[in-house]
Structures are given as structure tokens and as C-alpha cells.
């Protein structure tokens, strides 16, 4: 039997220039690929690799290079289309040391192929127990020595016998992680930039039928006055919409950057192959009939992505609305929407194609503008994560809007959003049909975590989550045109007592701090607003101005005064101006923007009702306050034995199929003591156990499924008679055969809590916290955070549950040892992050008193990790 390699050693990757390639281990049948690859190498590349001329590889050498055992000898290759373009390999030379060598085809050098291959080879080597790479490099090969030094790992070099020996410690460092993330960021941002800034576009399937999808996209491209040639492709006609048509993509003489595919689903794969041969850089597949239709469509969709990525193309769609870029230097409208909003500072991602047109109409109706727009449809390739990478660096985008139906890689989303939200606000509306990573209508896996976990993920990442599309745009128009508030103090200026009272009540309900409203009276004019706004300027962090005159009057003068105050104060001002919605012309600031390009900074957003204005402001205030907090690194308490814990997990996994592990022993490696519980099958055994543990004791059920049943525990048993009586009572209540236990009595009074950790296939390691009483369990009063936790995360977990006041002395309860509780959460967070083989960990019950935390029960389940976590390991497209 031929040696096998793990499936996760294969990957699609994005290269530094935005193109894609496929990485996989080399196989014996790659002999001809290797010969062809070698024949295209320059003499210099061969010299640097073999330290001398070698015109060709012998058959013996080809066999040696292509036949590896995937343990002591591993080689990974990068392929583009049907060609091999690079190879990297290691050969073990000692127990934990291997010699490494690279070879990249000259035409593909400088594209970042070697760096991404290095990441994947390092990961494979670490899995095989290798901790060090060594490489002999000619002194004149400066590119290779620089490559090793720039990888971010600890590198050493020495010169001997005419070569430089480089030694690379494969242990991850903060620098190596930063280098990897920076390379991923640049590559994925570049891949989106190539899509949004094409120099030429081809529309495949552009027919003469009025209302046809292909013709609609073609007319929209022409109507937007795209700054480049547009080529319709139709096999039977000579022209479409007055533009010369071509029978095929290959018949076009000039280069083509972007292809819009609008042919029937069963023809799309052939079109993709043709585009790949032509050298097209990106695809927009508006055709339907793929993953949204069921299993057969999903297979077709997977094949579409496989072919495209193998040939270096990114794909938007299928079943999407398209993409747009309002930059005057591009003017791209490759969508089915005939009218786009004007130029603005908002980047907009919509997963839904059908909803995308309505969303763009709403933006236009409000008088807002956009920078770029992407509708991903089935999100087979390009996703919201890719757009975050692009928009973070895009100087034309100040605010990011996301309409999501699913998250394919929530852990990566959280990482990217956490970084991006510190410089640009992200506003998300999530449809109610989302179930981790699976759009509505698709076959969904068993739901592992509730929607509240996703809410916690957004909050932890600094993302503004809103409930519906109206609020999405309410918040966006405030963020796009007004500065961020410095605090929670809000001033209300109004010409209506009733509306002012509504605004103040809305502020109080949203956790804001309203000043007494300045009620100017129904006949208030511009001078009144000027005086009131000047008085408030130094007393508040934001202003809600309400102007609802009983009869038409001096609206233009009042509007001018609001814009002047907003511009001069440097503080956010938003309005309920005559009940209008959006960015009215009267409230637009003077500047570089006009009606064709959208409002300028300093324009005042208007809302139909003051409550809506305050709700939008509350979202922005919470975001601004969170952004002001300095980023924190995950906390790692003392007394943690990771190596010992990993040994326990490995032994448990090796002993058989997935199952339970000794949770007490595992937690002990992380500095957490689990109080022993002694099983008792009779009153005599219960009494003996109590004598051994020491009085007083508790007598709970030892069966997890009935442990929380009312009356299933007896507390404060101080003597033999109490223990015997309790045993008889519980046996009668729970029935014969139910196991009972005896345990030391924890200090009272105490509050019961539950701490859990799960290794979710989508989210990764997640820690949850809640109170242990029946009411909290029934109401699902539980908080979630991604592991590992910062001290702020742990404190937030404790305070996020609705019953948290019971831990801080509320409702007559004595305050408990919250610092000890947060320390427990931090330790569980480290465990969950470091041990992906632990699929579930339950600490239940846990009692928290004024003196400390007492873990009375714990269970843990393990299984072999199927593949690296979604956001762990080397870069890959998922």
C-alpha cells in the first residue's frame, strides 16, 4: 500500500499578487509534471538549488524526488492549472531536524509561492515531530537567505565550506504569526482589488433578449460608463446593445481581466476552463443552479471553485447580483442593478443576490453613497472575510456594512473584524435563518451553539450588530458623515416638548446620559437653535436636534445652523428634521462631494422619529467606547502544565474511539481542583465515605442526567443518621439503580454556576458561563466568548448573564469571589485553546462563595482532531 498523507495537507492558497494556486504533497505519478517543471527552470535557479549545472534530472532522481513516505521525507508542490510551478521538501537528518530545500519556477518567483509553501511544510513537519529546519545556501543566493530571515522564526546562520548553513527553529513566535497574518492580509486584499479594479470586462451569455441576465449586466456596465473595454460573448450574434460580440472568450484579441458569467449552470464549467486559458483574473458568476438547488448543484459549485482556484482565479458567486465600484477612475457596475448609489465612503457586502438590489435602492433613497459593493450569492469562494481584508486598507472606504446569511469561517471573521474595527466601524445585520456557516435552504449540521454565541462573537470583535436593514442604514449614515462621540453624554434640542421627552426616554433606555432637554418652543428659528447648540457644546458628547415645525417655515435657515454647529463642534450631531429620512439636501455640508458623488463629511443625518435617532446613536456610542479601550493580549495564569495535559489527551485518544477522559486529572494540569465525589451503593458505603471525607457532607446523584432534578441532592449532612436518611430518601425519589455519591460540603452561602468549553467545528474553542439554577438553565441565560480569553473577556462573561447581579450582592445575596471565578474562566479558556482534542468540557456544578470557587463536578470528552481549526495553521482558502 502506498503511503498516505493527511487530507488537510492539500489546500488552495492566495498568492501575494492576488492570484491563487493549489498546494498538495507530491506523488509518484507526478514524474512527468516534475520533468516539465524542471525544463522551464533557468540555469541560475538550477545552480542555486544543486550548487552546479544539471541540465536534466535522471530517471532515478525523478523517482527519488517524487516518491516520499510523508513522514521522514515530505515534498509539497504548488500547481497552477495543469502545471507544477514550485516544490519544497524536507528530508529528516536527525530525530527532530530536517534539511529543507525550495525550487520555484522563474516565471512565478516574487509571487509569494515560497512563503506559503514554507508555512505548509513547517506545519507538516511539526506534525511529524520535527522542530528544526536546516538549509545550505550559496552566499550569492541573497534572495534565499533573506527569505529565511524574513519568515519570522528564530534563524541562525554560519559560513563553512563555501556555503551558508541556515538553521530555523520551527516554534511559532509572535513575529512569525505577525508575518503570516500580514502576508495573508496583503494577498487576500490584492485578490479583491483585482476584481474591483479591472481594466477590461467580458460578459459571457449576453444575448439580445430584453431583460436577459447577460444583457442586463452588459447594459449596466455600459450605462455606468466603465473606464475600459467591454466585450460581449455570444456564439450566434454579431453585436449586443450596439457593441461588437465575440463567439468565444478566446476570440478576443486583447487581454481580459474580469469575466461576468451568465450562461446556464451546466455550461458554466466549460466557460471557466476557457476563461482560465485566456488568462482572465476573476469571475463573477451570476448564473443560478448551484449550491442553492441541492446536492447535485453543490457538486457543480465545488467543481466550479476547484477549476477556478487551480487556474489562479477568484470567484464571486455563483447565484449573485455582481460587484460595483463607484471610483470615477473605474466606474464599474457589473451587477443586475440598473441604478447604483453615488460615490460615498461606505463599503457594502451582501450575501443575498435577490436582496442586493433592494439594499442598493435603500442606500440611494437615503441619499447615501457607496465606495464599492459586492454580492457574494452562494459565497462559494469570495466571502465577507476577503472584503474585510480589502476594505481595511482601502482609502475610499470609511464604514463597512455586511448583510450576512452565514459565516463560513467565524473564527477568522472574529480575528479580522477585531483588527479592522479598531480603525473602521463594521456594521452587521444577520438574517434569522443563519445556522453556523450554512445558508437557509442548505443541509445544516446539528446546531451546536445558539445564536447568542454569534452575538457574543460580534461583541468580542468590536462589531456593531443590528437587528434589521433599517437599523443597518440608520447606523451607517451616522458613522459615515459624523465623528465618533467621546462619551455617553447626549444633549437634546427640540421645538417640541413631546418629541424631546421621547428622545430623553430613549437615551435612558439605551444607557446614554441625556442632559435636560432644551425645549425651544414651536416657533423656534435658526437663532434659537444657534444659541441652544452653543450652550450645549462643552457639556455633551453628542447632540440630537429635533425640528418638527407645526407649519412650514424657516427650515432652510435651521438646517444651515445644524450643519454649521456639527462642522464647528467636532462632535456628532444627528437630527429628526421634519420627519425626513436619510441625508436631505438642506443638511448636507459643503465640501468636495455633490449630488453625484454623495454627501460630504459633516453632513447631518436625519431620522423620522427621535427614538430611531437615539437607537442609532447608542450603537455608535458603544462602538466608540469599545474602540477607545486598548487591545489586550490573552491572559495565561500561572501553574499550567500544557505538556502534561497534551499527554493525557493523546493517551485517551489512543486508547480507543472518542469518549470521556479523566476531567479531574486534566483540569489539575491547568491549576483547577475538582473536589472528589465518592460513589456509594448502600447507606453503609455512604457513611464510610462521609467519615473519610470529613463532615459535613453533601449527597448528590452521581448520574449527570438527573443531577439537576429538583430534590436530587441533600446538603449539610452532619452525622451518620443524616447520611443514612438522605440515602434512603434519594433512592426512593430517584428509583433503584440510580448511583449516589458523597462529597465534602462546600462553604455556604454560595451561588451555583456552570462553566463549559466546546471545540466547535466552525467557531473553534468557545467558553460559556451561566448560573446553575433551574430558572437560568430554562431561560438559556448563558454568555459566550472565543478562547483564549483576555482578562476583559473573562470579566465580561461573568457580567453578561442576566442573573449576574446575584454574584455582586444583588437581591440580598452576599457578594462572591468574582476574581477567583474569572481566574477559573481564564484557565478553562487556555485549556480549550490549547487542546483541540477536547471536544467538550463541563464544569457543573461549580459553587462560588465569598471565599472562593469550588468545582464539584467535571466531565470531558475527547476525539482525534479531524483537521486544523478553521483559523489555525498555515494560510489557506476555506
Amino acid at each position: 500500500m502506498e503511503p498516505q498523507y493527511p487530507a488537510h495537507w492539500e489546500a488552495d492558497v492566495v498568492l501575494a499578487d492576488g492570484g491563487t494556486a493549489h498546494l498538495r504533497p507530491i506523488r509518484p505519478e507526478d514524474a512527468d509534471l516534475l520533468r516539465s517543471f524542471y525544463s522551464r527552470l533557468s540555469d541560475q535557479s538550477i545552480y542555486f538549488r544543486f550548487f552546479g549545472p544539471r541540465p536534466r534530472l535522471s530517471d532515478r532522481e525523478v523517482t527519488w524526488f517524487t516518491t516520499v513516505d510523508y513522514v521522514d521525507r515530505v515534498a509539497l508542490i504548488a500547481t497552477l492549472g495543469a502545471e507544477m510551478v514550485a516544490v519544497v521538501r524536507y528530508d529528516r537528518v536527525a530525530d527532530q531536524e530536517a534539511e529543507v530545500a525550495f525550487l520555484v519556477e522563474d516565471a512565478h518567483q516574487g509571487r509569494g509561492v515560497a512563503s506559503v509553501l514554507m508555512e505548509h511544510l513547517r506545519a507538516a513537519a511539526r506534525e511529524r515531530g520535527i522542530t528544526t529546519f536546516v538549509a545550505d545556501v550559496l552566499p550569492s543566493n541573497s534572495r534565499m537567505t533573506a527569505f529565511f530571515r524574513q519568515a519570522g522564526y528564530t534563524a541562525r546562520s554560519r559560513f563553512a565550506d563555501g556555503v551558508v548553513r541556515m538553521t530555523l527553529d520551527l516554534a511559532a513566535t509572535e513575529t512569525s504569526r505577525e508575518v503570516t497574518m500580514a502576508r495573508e492580509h496583503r494577498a487576500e486584499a490584492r485578490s479583491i482589488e483585482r476584481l474591483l479594479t479591472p481594466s477590461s470586462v467580458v460578459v459571457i451569455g449576453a444575448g439580445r433578449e430584453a431583460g436577459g441576465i447577460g444583457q442586463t449586466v452588459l447594459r449596466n456596465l455600459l450605462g455606468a460608463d466603465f473606464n475600459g473595454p467591454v466585450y460581449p460573448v455570444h456564439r450566434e450574434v454579431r453585436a449586443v446593445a450596439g457593441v461588437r460580440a465575440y463567439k468565444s472568450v478566446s476570440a478576443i484579441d486583447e487581454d481580459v481581466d474580469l469575466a461576468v458569467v451568465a450562461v446556464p449552470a451546466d455550461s458554466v464549467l466549460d466557460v471557466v476552463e476557457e476563461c482560465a486559458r485566456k488568462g482572465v483574473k476573476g469571475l463573477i458568476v451570476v448564473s443560478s443552479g448551484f449550491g442553492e438547488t441541492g446536492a447535485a448543484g453543490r457538486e457543480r459549485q465545488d467543481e466550479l471553485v476547484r477549476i477556478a482556484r487551480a487556474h489562479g482565479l477568484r470567484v464571486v458567486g455563483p447565484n449573485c447580483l455582481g460587484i460595483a465600484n463607484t471610483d470615477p477612475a473605474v466606474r464599474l457596475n457589473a451587477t443586475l442593478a440598473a441604478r447604483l448609489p453615488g460615490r460615498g465612503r461606505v463599503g457594502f457586502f451582501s450575501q443575498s443576490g435577490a436582496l442586493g438590489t433592494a439594499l442598493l435602492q435603500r442606500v440611494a433613497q437615503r441619499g447615501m453613497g457607496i465606495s464599492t459593493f459586492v454580492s457574494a450569492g452562494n459565497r462559494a469562494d469570495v466571502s465577507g472575510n476577503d472584503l474585510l481584508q480589502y476594505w481595511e486598507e482601502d482609502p475610499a472606504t470609511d464604514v463597512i456594512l455586511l448583510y450576512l446569511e452565514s459565516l463560513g469561517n467565524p473564527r477568522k471573521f472574529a480575528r479580522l473584524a477585531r483588527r479592522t474595527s479598531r480603525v473602521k466601524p463594521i456594521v452587521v445585520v444577520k438574517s434569522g435563518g443563519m445556522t453556523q456557516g450554512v445558508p437557509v435552504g442548505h443541509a445544516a449540521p446539528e446546531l451546536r451553539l445558539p445564536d447568542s454565541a454569534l452575538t457574543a462573537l460580534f461583541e468580542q470583535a468590536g462589531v456593531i450588530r443590528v437587528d434589521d436593514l433599517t437599523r443597518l442604514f440608520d447606523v451607517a449614515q451616522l458613522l459615515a458623515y459624523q465623528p465618533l462621540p467621546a462619551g455617553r453624554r447626549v444633549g437634546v434640542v427640540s421645538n417640541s416638548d413631546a418629541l424631546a421627552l421621547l428622545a430623553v426616554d430613549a437615551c435612558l433606555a439605551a444607557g446614554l446620559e441625556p442632559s435636560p432637554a432644551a425645549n425651544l418652543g414651536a416657533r423656534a428659528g435658526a437663532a434659537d437653535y444657534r444659541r441652544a447648540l452653543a450652550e450645549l457644546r462643552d457639556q455633551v458628547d453628542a447632540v440630537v436636534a429635533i425640528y418638527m415645525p407645526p407649519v412650514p417655515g424657516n427650515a432652510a435657515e435651521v438646517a444651515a445652523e445644524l450643519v454649521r454647529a456639527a462642522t464647528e463642534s467636532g462632535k456628532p450631531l444627528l437630527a429628526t428634521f421634519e420627519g425626513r429620512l436619510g441625508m436631505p439636501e438642506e443638511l448636507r455640508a459643503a465640501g468636495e462631494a455633490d449630488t453625484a458623488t454623495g454627501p460630504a463629511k459633516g453632513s447631518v443625518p436625519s431620522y423620522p422619529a427621535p427614538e430611531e435617532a437615539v437607537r442609532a446613536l447608542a450603537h455608535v456610542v458603544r462602538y466608540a467606547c469599545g474602540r477607545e479601550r486598548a487591545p489586550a493580549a490573552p491572559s495565561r495564569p500561572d501553574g499550567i502544565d500544557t505538556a502534561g495535559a497534551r499527554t493525557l489527551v493523546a493517551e485517551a485518544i489512543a486508547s480507543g474511539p472518542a469518549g470521556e477522559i479523566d476531567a479531574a486529572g486534566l483540569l489539575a494540569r491547568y491549576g483547577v481542583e475538582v473536589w472528589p465525589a465518592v460513589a456509594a451503593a448502600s447507606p453503609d458505603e455512604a457513611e464510610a465515605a462521609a467519615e473519610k471525607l470529613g463532615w459535613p457532607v453533601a449527597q448528590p446523584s452521581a448520574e449527570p442526567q438527573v443531577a439537576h432534578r429538583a430534590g436530587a441532592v441533600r446538603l449539610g449532612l452532619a452525622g451518620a443518621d443524616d447520611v443514612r436518611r438522605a440515602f434512603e430518601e434519594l433512592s426512593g425519589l430517584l428509583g433503584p439503580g440510580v448511583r449516589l455519591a458523597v462529597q465534602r460540603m462546600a462553604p455556604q452561602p454560595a451561588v451555583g454556576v456552570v462553566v463549559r468549553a466546546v471545540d466547535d467545528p466552525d467557531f473553534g474553542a468557545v467558553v460559556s458561563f451561566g448560573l446553575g439554577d433551574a430558572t437560568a438553565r430554562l431561560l438559556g441565560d448563558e454568555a459566550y466568548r472565543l478562547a483564549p480569553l483576555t482578562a476583559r473577556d473573562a470579566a465580561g462573561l461573568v457580567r453578561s448573564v442576566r442573573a449576574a447581579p446575584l454574584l455582586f450582592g444583588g437581591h440580598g445575596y452576599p457578594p462572591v469571589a468574582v476574581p477567583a471565578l474569572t481566574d477559573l474562566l481564564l484557565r478553562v479558556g487556555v485549556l480549550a485553546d490549547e487542546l483541540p482534542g477536547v471536544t467538550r468540557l463541563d464544569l457543573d456544578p461549580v459553587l462560588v462563595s465569598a471565599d472562593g470557587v469550588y468545582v464539584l463536578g467535571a466531565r470531558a470528552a475527547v476525539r482525534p482532531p479531524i483537521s486544523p481549526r478553521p483559523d489555525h495553521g498555515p494560510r489557506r482558502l476555506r
Side-chain angles (χ1 to χ4, degrees):
M1 179 181 294
E2 291 186 359
Q4 299 295 313
Y5 55 81
H8 64 264
W9 283 12
E10 290 202 40
D12 294 318
V13 297
V14 182
L15 304 178
D17 62 358
T20 62
H22 184 69
L23 306 187
R24 64 170 175 82
I26 203 166
R27 299 189 287 256
E29 55 267 30
D30 294 325
D32 288 339
L33 271 184
L34 178 60
R35 291 189 181 94
S36 176
F37 162 72
Y38 196 84
S39 70
R40 299 191 300 274
L41 296 174
S42 68
D43 292 341
Q44 184 185 60
S45 292
I46 293 173
Y47 179 79
F48 281 158
R49 168 63 178 87
F50 295 104
F51 299 175
R54 188 171 300 196
R56 59 181 293 274
L57 295 176
S58 67
D59 290 345
R60 182 177 179 180
E61 288 172 323
V62 169
T63 300
W64 171 254
F65 287 137
T66 57
T67 305
V68 295
D69 61 9
Y70 308 116
V71 177
D72 295 327
R73 299 182 62 245
V74 172
L76 304 180
I77 64 173
T79 61
L80 189 59
E83 298 291 348
M84 170 180 164
V85 298
V87 59
V88 58
R89 63 185 306 111
Y90 78 69
D91 292 89
R92 194 188 300 261
V93 294
D95 183 38
Q96 295 182 321
E97 185 175 276
E99 188 172 5
V100 64
F102 291 82
L103 196 51
V104 179
E105 184 178 336
D106 295 70
H108 295 278
Q109 292 177 10
R111 300 187 64 199
V113 184
S115 64
V116 73
L117 275 171
M118 174 64 182
E119 291 174 25
H120 284 259
L121 188 71
R122 171 197 169 271
R126 296 279 292 180
E127 290 181 30
R128 299 313 194 202
I130 292 171
T131 61
T132 305
F133 277 164
V134 295
D136 290 332
V137 182
L138 290 174
S140 58
N141 192 354
S142 57
R143 174 178 286 185
M144 185 58 68
T145 55
F147 168 79
F148 280 114
R149 290 195 172 97
Q150 293 168 4
Y153 303 102
T154 303
R156 304 180 303 278
S157 63
R158 64 181 178 86
F159 182 78
D161 299 326
V163 299
V164 178
R165 167 146 287 209
M166 305 289 297
T167 302
L168 201 67
D169 185 342
L170 300 186
T173 66
E174 189 61 33
T175 301
S176 70
R177 284 187 286 266
E178 290 176 358
V179 168
T180 298
M181 295 301 102
R183 286 171 173 167
E184 174 199 66
H185 172 64
R186 290 193 299 268
E188 294 184 3
R190 177 59 180 147
S191 74
I192 299 302
E193 182 184 20
R194 296 203 316 178
L195 289 168
L196 289 169
T197 58
S199 59
S200 56
V201 180
V202 59
V203 181
I204 305 166
R208 288 181 169 177
E209 301 81 7
I213 291 177
Q215 189 189 93
T216 298
V217 175
L218 175 65
R219 289 187 178 277
N220 292 342
L221 279 164
L222 298 174
D225 195 20
F226 172 63
N227 193 22
V230 178
Y231 306 105
V233 168
H234 194 286
R235 298 190 182 281
E236 298 176 359
V237 301
R238 297 179 60 186
V240 179
V243 179
R244 177 192 171 186
Y246 294 81
K247 292 186 178 298
S248 65
V249 177
S250 55
I252 301 171
D253 295 330
E254 306 299 325
D255 292 338
V256 177
D257 283 345
L258 179 68
V260 181
V261 181
V263 300
D266 56 5
S267 300
V268 168
L269 299 184
D270 292 337
V271 168
V272 174
E273 295 270 14
E274 186 181 9
C275 288
R277 291 192 296 270
K278 177 63 180 176
V280 173
K281 296 183 177 66
L283 299 172
I284 314 297
V285 182
V286 297
S287 308
S288 58
F290 290 87
E292 78 280 4
T293 63
R298 170 64 66 176
E299 291 181 8
R300 186 185 296 118
Q301 180 171 299
D302 291 344
E303 183 66 7
L304 159 66
V305 174
R306 187 195 67 77
I307 295 172
R309 288 178 174 177
H311 288 85
L313 288 77
R314 298 302 305 269
V315 179
V316 177
N319 190 34
C320 72
L321 183 71
I323 67 174
N325 185 350
T326 62
D327 184 346
V330 181
R331 296 194 294 270
L332 174 72
N333 181 10
T335 77
L336 295 172
R339 180 169 174 256
L340 290 179
R343 182 68 170 164
R345 310 293 300 179
V346 175
F348 191 6
F349 174 87
S350 170
Q351 191 168 326
S352 169
L355 189 61
T357 301
L359 296 176
L360 291 174
Q361 287 175 349
R362 290 199 183 194
V363 173
Q365 288 167 358
R366 289 181 179 239
M368 294 170 58
I370 62 171
S371 57
T372 44
F373 168 79
V374 173
S375 162
N378 292 2
R379 205 201 58 223
D381 179 23
V382 169
S383 70
N385 288 346
D386 295 294
L387 270 299
L388 286 181
Q389 300 273 34
Y390 171 74
W391 280 324
E392 182 183 352
E393 300 295 332
D394 179 29
T397 300
D398 291 338
V399 182
I400 298 168
L401 304 185
L402 305 175
Y403 173 81
L404 301 175
E405 295 175 356
S406 63
L407 285 173
N409 189 343
R411 192 174 179 88
K412 181 175 180 179
F413 174 85
R415 170 172 60 82
L416 297 179
R418 185 181 294 112
R419 185 183 70 207
T420 304
S421 65
R422 301 204 66 81
V423 292
K424 296 181 181 181
I426 304 168
V427 191
V428 173
V429 61
K430 180 198 73 68
S431 72
M434 179 189 283
T435 57
Q436 283 97 55
V438 183
V440 175
H442 292 189
E446 180 183 354
L447 188 62
R448 293 165 289 271
L449 295 173
D451 181 73
S452 55
L454 188 59
T455 298
L457 184 155
F458 286 137
E459 180 182 345
Q460 193 177 3
V463 173
I464 302 171
R465 182 185 181 184
V466 296
D467 295 330
D468 53 50
L469 296 172
T470 298
R471 295 187 186 183
L472 178 76
F473 298 119
D474 283 350
V475 174
Q477 65 186 28
L478 176 57
L479 287 167
Y481 302 108
Q482 289 291 307
L484 292 176
R488 298 178 177 275
R489 300 173 303 165
V490 181
V492 178
V493 179
S494 175
N495 66 345
S496 164
D497 289 349
L499 293 178
L501 181 60
L502 288 174
V504 170
D505 288 346
C507 286
L508 292 171
L512 303 178
E513 301 169 5
S515 300
N519 298 318
L520 307 180
R523 292 184 172 274
D528 301 298
Y529 276 90
R530 181 185 307 115
R531 183 176 57 258
L533 290 170
E535 292 174 355
L536 280 173
R537 177 180 301 176
D538 298 327
Q539 304 173 26
V540 299
D541 302 303
V543 174
V544 176
I546 303 170
Y547 181 68
M548 294 286 285
V551 293
N554 51 1
E557 291 82 2
V558 173
E561 194 56 48
L562 298 182
V563 172
R564 185 196 62 78
T567 304
E568 293 179 358
S569 71
K571 297 178 180 180
L573 189 151
L574 59 167
T576 292
F577 188 81
E578 297 184 317
R580 296 161 71 179
L581 174 64
M583 312 297 300
E585 291 290 337
E586 297 93 326
L587 294 176
R588 296 193 178 197
E592 76 285 354
D594 55 32
T595 55
T597 59
K601 278 284 189 180
S603 298
V604 176
S606 179
Y607 301 83
E611 308 97 302
E612 296 172 48
V614 170
R615 278 195 293 263
L617 178 60
H619 280 295
V620 174
V621 167
R622 285 192 292 271
Y623 165 73
C625 291
R627 194 163 96 164
E628 286 301 309
R629 292 193 292 265
S635 297
R636 185 180 179 85
D638 295 331
I640 292 177
D641 177 15
T642 302
R646 285 176 173 159
T647 299
L648 280 181
V649 172
E651 290 173 351
I653 291 174
S655 65
E660 291 203 1
I661 187 176
D662 173 22
L666 183 65
L667 285 163
R669 267 64 174 184
Y670 285 85
V672 177
E673 178 191 4
V674 180
W675 281 23
V678 180
S682 67
D684 290 339
E685 291 185 6
E687 180 182 348
E691 291 286 354
K692 180 179 179 181
L693 293 171
W695 306 93
V697 297
Q699 195 165 146
S701 167
E703 303 286 354
Q705 61 269 27
V706 297
H708 305 298
R709 179 175 167 180
V713 63
R714 296 293 183 269
L715 303 174
L717 307 178
D721 290 342
D722 292 341
V723 169
R724 289 178 174 277
R725 187 182 310 111
F727 191 95
E728 297 297 342
E729 289 175 358
L730 288 174
S731 296
L733 175 67
L734 303 177
V738 175
R739 296 182 304 145
L740 300 179
V742 178
Q743 197 167 33
R744 279 186 298 159
M745 184 69 192
Q748 296 293 322
V751 178
V753 300
V754 180
V755 177
R756 291 193 175 93
V758 297
D759 185 47
D760 185 82
D762 292 323
F763 286 84
V766 178
V767 177
S768 67
F769 170 79
L771 268 64
D773 64 89
T775 302
R777 294 174 191 268
L778 286 172
L779 294 177
D781 188 13
E782 201 166 7
Y784 300 83
R785 295 292 187 276
L786 288 174
L789 306 177
T790 65
R792 187 184 303 147
D793 293 332
L797 270 175
V798 174
R799 290 160 177 80
S800 293
V801 295
R802 295 189 292 277
L806 301 182
L807 302 170
F808 294 89
H811 303 280
Y813 281 71
V816 303
V818 172
L821 180 56
T822 55
D823 179 75
L824 173 65
L825 291 168
L826 290 172
R827 293 177 185 277
V828 171
V830 175
L831 184 156
D833 181 62
E834 292 183 340
L835 305 177
V838 178
T839 58
R840 187 176 182 90
L841 175 67
D842 293 308
L843 279 62
D844 184 16
V846 177
L847 295 183
V848 193
S849 72
D851 299 321
V853 175
Y854 310 96
V855 180
L856 305 183
R859 302 180 69 192
V862 296
R863 71 172 177 216
I866 299 171
S867 62
R869 282 174 172 160
D871 198 36
H872 281 209
R875 289 175 283 158
R876 65 177 62 227
L877 280 167
R878 294 181 174 88

